[in-house]
């Protein structure tokens, strides 16, 4: 059966079995929306196990001591933490609340790392009190931390965030250069009490080659730290491990070719002929590469097997020789297949010039990352009772914020059998970033609820309740 909804240039989502099962039960979807409101974020974390397994298998094949820390910022549910912990993974946290919630949830200190870009003294104190490793970003932060540690008389364990000086790596606001860290450690007598237990970095983009280069650079810094009497144990290469939302490579390349071929102002593929940052027929760098071939295990293999320094030694060998554990902090790729967002159709109408619009009970921050658009086709469930006969329609999805540019997605969609108020639109694979990273409740609209599949039922995640309690506190 042809889909009830697809992009005018289709980008067909890869679905998990749990998503397919749920979508064959429109009655249940409707009940969930009636009970919890629209939009609604649904999570089933069973796929996380597979995603973790793919990474671990590659590490094992290369004899690499390996540990995974879920990047919490990619999804705020407590369910995600529970699943990561149950899989033997740690969690990478980026704020006081994220750390506090993990500690209260029973994640052990050695399974946590604080990588917040800016750290409040409350966050520093909470980490020190609980013996959680902090990724140090700069000298001011290091000195604040030492003050806090001096007051409590506790040791502080840190990873140094390394800003690479390799000319192949783009300049970064995060961390300091190796020589800056070494200067700091050598010059200050105040650094006693600071245990440097690892090196941390996180790169923009998804290049395996770049990570191999910075891993080698990190290991050189580790050698220098050992000479200074420190005993670092790990290199944490951050996140950015690729995933793929689309199976069909031809759809992905075809979309960009079709978009490039459109004359200016032609809205047959995107709103106001939006090129989504593309300049020509290549995929735009302003969106996530929604189709990728090299993901997770295969991608990690490229890093571990690489001889990035040309010294006849692979990254895996360099790690092993030094007895260094490789850590990573994947967010998106661990959550691949773990989330789906449902929203109810509020109305069908036309723009003043006749262009068809489908309005959703949802705003555009509720299925959006920092990418220019989410380039994955939603699915339609015909749960509505149309007030007139359903007829084929080609339309844009608009949302609840009172802004002309309030598009849920920037692409145009076909509804071969029509669409009506009361229908449901399902956005697949939204668990990593799409639900939470920039969600807002402007106009005093409530944030979407989060449900997790738990012991055979859809249960509300406790993060929703905790957020309300903390607002009131
Ligand atoms: C965002 C972030 C991650 C996660 O990145 P993904 O692309 O989701 O894998 C990991 N570590 C740090 C420090 C980050 O800022």
């Amino acid at each position: 059966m042809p889909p009830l909804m697809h992009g005018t240039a289709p980008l067909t989502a890869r679905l998990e079995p749990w998503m397919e099962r749920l979508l064959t039960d429109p009655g249940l979807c409707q009940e969930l929306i009636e009970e919890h409101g629209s939009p609604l974020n649904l999570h089933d974390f069973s796929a996380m196990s597979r995603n973790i397994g793919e990474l671990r298998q590659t590490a094992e094949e290369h004899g690499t001591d390996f540990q995974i820390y879920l990047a919490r910022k990619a999804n705020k549910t407590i369910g995600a933490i529970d699943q990561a912990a149950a899989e033997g993974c740690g969690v990478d946290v980026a704020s006081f609340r994220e750390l506090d919630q993990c500690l209260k949830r029973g994640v052990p200190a050695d399974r946590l790392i604080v990588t917040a870009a800016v750290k409040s003294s409350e966050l520093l104190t909470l980490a020190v009190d609980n013996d959680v490793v902090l990724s140090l970003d700069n000298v001011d932060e290091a000195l604040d931390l030492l003050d806090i540690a001096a007051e409590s008389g506790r040791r502080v364990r840190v990873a140094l965030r390394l800003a690479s000086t390799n000319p192949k790596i783009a300049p970064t606001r995060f961390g300091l250069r190796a020589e800056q860290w070494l200067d700091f450690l050598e010059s200050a007598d105040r650094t006693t009490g600071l245990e440097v237990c690892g090196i941390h970095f996180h790169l923009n983009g998804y290049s395996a080659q770049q990570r191999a280069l910075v891993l080698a650079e990190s290991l050189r810094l580790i050698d220098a730290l050992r000479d200074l009497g420190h005993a670092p144990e790990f290199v944490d290469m951050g996140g950015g491990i690729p995933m793929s939302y689309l199976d069909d490579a031809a759809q992905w390349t075809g979309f960009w070719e079709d978009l490039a071929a459109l004359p200016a102002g032609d809205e047959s593929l995107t709103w106001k002929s939006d090129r989504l940052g593309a300049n020509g027929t290549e995929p735009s760098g302003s969106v996530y590469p929604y189709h990728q071939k090299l993901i997770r295990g295969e991608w990690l293999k490229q890093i571990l097997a690489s001889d990035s320094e040309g010294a006849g030694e692979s990254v895996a060998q360099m790690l092993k020789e030094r007895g260094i554990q490789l850590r990573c902090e994947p967010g998106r790729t661990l959550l691949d297949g773990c989330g789906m967002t449902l929203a109810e159709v509020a109305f069908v109408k036309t723009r003043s010039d006749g262009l068809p619009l489908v309005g959703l009970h949802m705003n555009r921050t509720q299925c959006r990352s920092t990418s220019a658009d989410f380039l994955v086709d939603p699915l339609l469930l015909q749960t509505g009772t149309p007030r007139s006969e359903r007829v084929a329609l080609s339309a844009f999805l608009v949302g609840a914020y009172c802004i002309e540019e309030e598009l849920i997605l920037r692409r145009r969609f076909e509804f071969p059998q029509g669409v009506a108020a009361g229908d449901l639109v399902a956005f697949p694979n939204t668990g990593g970033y799409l639900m939470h990273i920039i969600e807002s409740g402007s106009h005093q609209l409530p944030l979407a609820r989060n449900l997790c599949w738990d012991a055979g039922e859809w249960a509300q995640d406790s993060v929703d309740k905790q957020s309300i309690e903390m607002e009131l506190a």
Side-chain angles (χ1 to χ4, degrees), residues 71 73 92 115 161 200 202 238-241 329-332 433:
K73 71 164 194 264
D92 153 26
T115 64
R161 189 153 180 174
H200 174 229
H202 169 75
I241 299 176
E329 300 161 346
R332 193 190 292 269
Y433 296 108

Side-chain angles (χ1 to χ4, degrees), residues 159-453:
L160 304 177
R161 189 153 180 174
L162 176 63
S164 173
T165 49
N166 191 308
K168 290 186 179 138
I169 310 291
T172 175
R173 63 165 277 211
F174 296 111
L176 296 176
R177 301 189 300 271
E179 91 259 7
Q180 292 176 298
W181 282 126
L182 291 170
D183 280 353
F184 168 67
L185 292 173
E186 281 174 311
S187 65
D189 53 2
R190 309 193 39 216
T191 60
T192 41
L194 205 64
E195 271 179 40
V196 180
C197 57
I199 302 298
H200 174 229
F201 66 87
H202 169 75
L203 303 181
N204 241 344
Y206 314 97
S207 160
Q209 195 50 40
Q210 289 193 356
R211 281 161 181 84
L213 288 169
V214 185
L215 275 168
E217 192 177 346
S218 302
L219 291 171
R220 279 196 298 277
L221 177 53
I222 285 205
D223 293 342
L225 288 166
R226 285 181 169 167
D227 289 344
L228 285 180
H230 291 278
E233 292 160 4
F234 66 85
V235 178
D236 183 336
M237 64 169 179
I241 299 176
M243 62 169 277
S244 191
Y245 293 83
L246 311 168
D247 279 334
D248 190 338
Q251 278 187 348
W252 178 242
T253 50
F255 170 74
W256 295 103
E257 285 160 12
D258 291 353
L259 190 61
L262 286 186
D266 185 320
E267 294 190 277
S268 53
L269 288 183
T270 57
W271 179 257
K272 296 188 181 164
S273 200
D274 191 342
R275 306 293 157 157
L276 304 170
N279 182 12
T281 57
E282 288 298 307
S284 160
S286 309
V287 297
Y288 189 80
Y290 291 95
H291 173 79
Q292 301 192 79
K293 270 214 195 72
L294 211 57
I295 65 168
R296 291 191 283 273
E298 289 298 310
W299 178 89
L300 182 59
K301 197 175 286 178
Q302 300 251 312
I303 294 177
L304 291 176
S306 132
D307 172 9
S308 63
E309 304 272 89
E313 223 187 359
S314 70
V315 167
Q317 284 170 312
M318 292 167 73
L319 287 163
K320 199 169 182 180
E321 224 163 66
R322 292 167 175 80
I324 292 291
Q325 182 178 65
L326 176 63
R327 296 186 181 178
C328 60
E329 300 161 346
R332 193 190 292 269
T333 209
L334 244 51
L335 292 155
D336 183 7
C338 295
M340 183 159 74
T341 300
L342 281 183
E344 187 182 2
V345 175
F347 58 75
V348 180
K349 62 173 281 189
T350 54
R351 198 167 68 181
S352 57
D353 60 354
L355 185 80
L357 302 174
V358 174
L360 298 186
H361 287 290
M362 165 176 192
N363 76 63
R364 76 178 189 282
T365 69
Q366 294 178 309
C367 180
R368 183 163 255 93
S369 67
T370 52
S371 218
D373 202 16
F374 181 46
L375 298 178
V376 177
D377 287 359
L379 296 102
L380 182 73
L381 301 177
Q382 291 188 328
T383 45
T385 311
R387 293 180 172 99
S388 56
E389 204 188 335
R390 287 180 183 269
V391 288
L393 195 72
S394 169
F396 287 97
L397 299 179
V398 294
Y401 284 177
C402 305
I403 296 166
E404 284 287 358
E405 290 293 309
E406 170 74 353
L407 276 294
I408 301 295
L409 300 173
R410 309 284 300 174
R411 281 188 310 134
R412 187 167 183 153
F413 294 95
E414 303 300 314
F415 301 87
Q417 297 181 46
V419 52
D423 284 354
L424 296 178
V425 174
F427 300 85
N429 217 353
T430 51
Y433 296 108
L434 279 308
M435 298 169 173
H436 298 146
I437 192 84
I438 61 159
E439 71 169 337
S440 63
S442 186
H443 307 16
Q444 292 302 301
L445 289 162
L447 296 181
R449 283 201 189 168
N450 294 280
L451 305 188
C452 298
W453 182 250

